[in-house]
Amino acid sequence: MYFNLTQRLTRTFVRRICTGVSRNLMKEHSDSTFEKKLRSTVFYWTGLGVLVVGLSYAAVPLYRIFCQAYSYGGTITTGHDASKVSTMLPVKNRKIKVKFTADTALSMQWNFKPQQLEMTIVPGETALAFYTATNPTDKQVIGISTYNVLPFEVGQYFNKIQCFCFEEQMLSPHEQVDMPVFFYIDPEFTEDPKMEFIDDIILSYTFFEAKPGLELPVPSYAKSHST
């Protein structure tokens, strides 16, 4: 009887030791797996963040290269078109939201921004927007701008009557100026099936420092306009 009791106690003790060792091993394995998964997750989201930041910085130059290479509709014509202003009729049942953005080249030291973030217009109706440019430096700076419209396909229907693009603008040290953009969306916009679901447009201006030999890209599709 004593022997049997000793044997049962020994088995129980051994079983507890094995169970404890197994639990420790499983815990170590679980902790190791969790740490590996955590490291992988951190690396993934860090890499994704770097990629997003990189793409945001590359978006503007890549877009300019695309428009210049394929002469696509994002870049607007260099001339001014007022030929339809006196005869066109507003399409009141089609509202379009125009959003305004501003950018400067890396070498351009101006502060440049739109005075309004967005406005709602209708095709066939003229609109007036303003941008503000400030020269914060102690020297005279001459700038020149271009602008784009998104989505690309809307560019052919976007007409400016008056604006500051493609013309040199000189600002004295610490001078600030307001720059108007007088424009309209051609009523034919509403007749194009491809424009049916486009209700938001982005108008984006970019200023460069005017230097000898600088040529701003103008797509081959752009038609000439006269005032």
Side-chain angles (χ1 to χ4, degrees):
M1 179 179 178
Y2 175 78
F3 177 76
N4 292 335
L5 178 61
T6 303
Q7 191 176 28
R8 282 198 298 270
L9 290 174
T10 302
R11 289 176 180 175
T12 302
F13 180 70
V14 171
R15 188 181 299 113
R16 288 181 178 177
I17 292 176
C18 293
T19 301
V21 171
S22 298
R23 287 177 179 174
N24 289 334
L25 290 174
M26 290 178 65
K27 185 176 183 301
E28 291 178 1
H29 176 73
S30 177
D31 291 345
S32 177
T33 302
F34 175 76
E35 290 178 0
K36 290 180 179 179
K37 290 182 177 179
L38 181 60
R39 284 197 297 269
S40 299
T41 302
V42 171
F43 290 151
Y44 172 80
W45 287 109
T46 301
L48 183 61
V50 172
L51 177 62
V52 170
V53 172
L55 289 176
S56 66
Y57 278 101
V60 173
L62 287 175
Y63 169 66
R64 293 196 190 110
I65 293 173
F66 174 80
C67 289
Q68 189 173 9
Y70 293 97
S71 298
Y72 209 61
T75 305
I76 310 305
T77 62
T78 57
H80 299 157
D81 184 10
S83 60
K84 292 187 176 182
V85 172
S86 59
T87 58
M88 66 183 181
L89 297 175
V91 184
K92 296 292 186 179
N93 62 343
R94 184 68 186 277
K95 297 184 182 297
I96 300 174
K97 183 182 293 184
V98 181
K99 299 178 181 180
F100 302 88
T101 64
D103 191 20
T104 55
L106 292 177
S107 61
M108 187 54 158
Q109 296 178 294
W110 284 4
N111 296 326
F112 179 53
K113 62 181 181 180
Q115 291 188 12
Q116 63 290 300
L117 295 179
E118 61 183 45
M119 65 170 57
T120 301
I121 65 172
V122 300
E125 181 179 77
T126 58
L128 180 62
F130 285 91
Y131 281 76
T132 298
T134 305
N135 177 13
T137 70
D138 295 324
K139 63 179 182 178
Q140 175 181 289
V141 177
I142 300 176
I144 188 169
S145 69
T146 183
Y147 67 103
N148 302 305
V149 165
L150 295 174
F152 303 131
E153 298 86 350
V154 179
Q156 59 185 311
Y157 298 108
F158 191 97
N159 295 278
K160 54 184 173 26
I161 303 170
Q162 178 184 359
C163 78
F164 51 87
C165 60
F166 300 105
E167 298 178 359
E168 291 187 353
Q169 312 288 333
M170 183 182 68
L171 293 186
S172 301
H174 306 286
E175 181 182 4
Q176 177 177 300
V177 295
D178 296 333
M179 300 180 174
V181 183
F182 193 31
F183 66 96
Y184 69 91
I185 305 297
D186 195 311
E188 294 180 3
F189 172 90
T190 61
E191 301 173 7
D192 189 338
K194 293 182 294 185
M195 305 294 114
E196 181 178 0
F197 300 106
I198 296 179
D199 299 315
D200 295 277
I201 296 174
I202 298 176
L203 176 60
S204 176
Y205 274 85
T206 303
F207 251 106
F208 301 81
E209 184 174 359
K211 295 181 179 180
L214 174 66
E215 293 184 5
L216 299 181
V218 179
S220 59
Y221 89 95
K223 56 184 178 182
S224 300
H225 293 313
S226 57
T227 304

